[in-house]
Amino acid sequence: QVQVVESGGGLVQPGGSLRLSCAASGTIDNIYMMGWYRQPPGKQRELVASITRGGMSNYGDSVKGRFTISTSTDNGKNTVYLQMNSLKVEDTAVYYCYVRTFRMATYEYWGQGTQVTVSS
């Protein structure tokens, strides 16, 4: 089992920056991917960014060059960060962290979601 806790959302002006964090604890040895999805109001959930255990990252087209995903491991937790720069109004969404593990089968664990609002 993996517990996933997100933090860092909020209100920011266009052009500003925010950093989201997501800490995974529990059986973290089987984690092979962590990442972020988002769901804008009235729209479907979309991939923002993901990163593998080996450090390979992938980004949605709308955030390339503005967002950066990274990870750290400390005190029995794997934490994934999403640094969001040059934020736009259209980045407004609920951001969800996910963790994917594999041990005989693939499992996914999701955070509760954190609101990011970009508005002047």
Side-chain angles (χ1 to χ4, degrees):
Q1 285 286 344
V2 175
Q3 294 75 46
V4 180
V5 179
E6 303 160 353
S7 61
L11 172 66
V12 64
Q13 291 187 340
S17 298
L18 274 178
R19 189 173 86 153
L20 306 182
S21 299
C22 172
S25 59
T27 311
I28 65 172
D29 289 348
N30 301 327
I31 293 175
Y32 74 91
M33 182 181 286
M34 301 179 74
W36 297 88
Y37 274 76
R38 69 185 182 186
Q39 187 162 18
K43 297 185 179 180
Q44 291 187 329
R45 194 174 291 193
E46 60 183 9
L47 174 70
V48 179
S50 64
I51 187 165
T52 68
R53 191 183 187 96
M56 292 184 63
S57 58
N58 182 47
Y59 295 91
D61 288 341
S62 62
V63 306
K64 285 179 181 177
R66 300 187 298 123
F67 291 11
T68 303
I69 191 169
S70 60
T71 59
S72 69
T73 301
D74 191 27
N75 293 330
K77 292 183 180 180
N78 275 12
T79 302
V80 61
Y81 303 95
L82 185 69
Q83 178 66 44
M84 304 184 293
N85 298 328
S86 302
L87 283 161
K88 304 176 181 180
V89 172
E90 50 265 42
D91 294 318
T92 296
V94 178
Y95 284 69
Y96 296 92
C97 172
Y98 75 96
V99 174
R100 198 169 289 166
T101 68
F102 181 83
R103 181 178 171 84
M104 302 184 71
T106 298
Y107 299 91
E108 278 191 353
Y109 302 87
W110 290 83
Q112 76 281 5
T114 186
Q115 178 70 45
V116 172
T117 302
V118 184
S119 174
S120 55

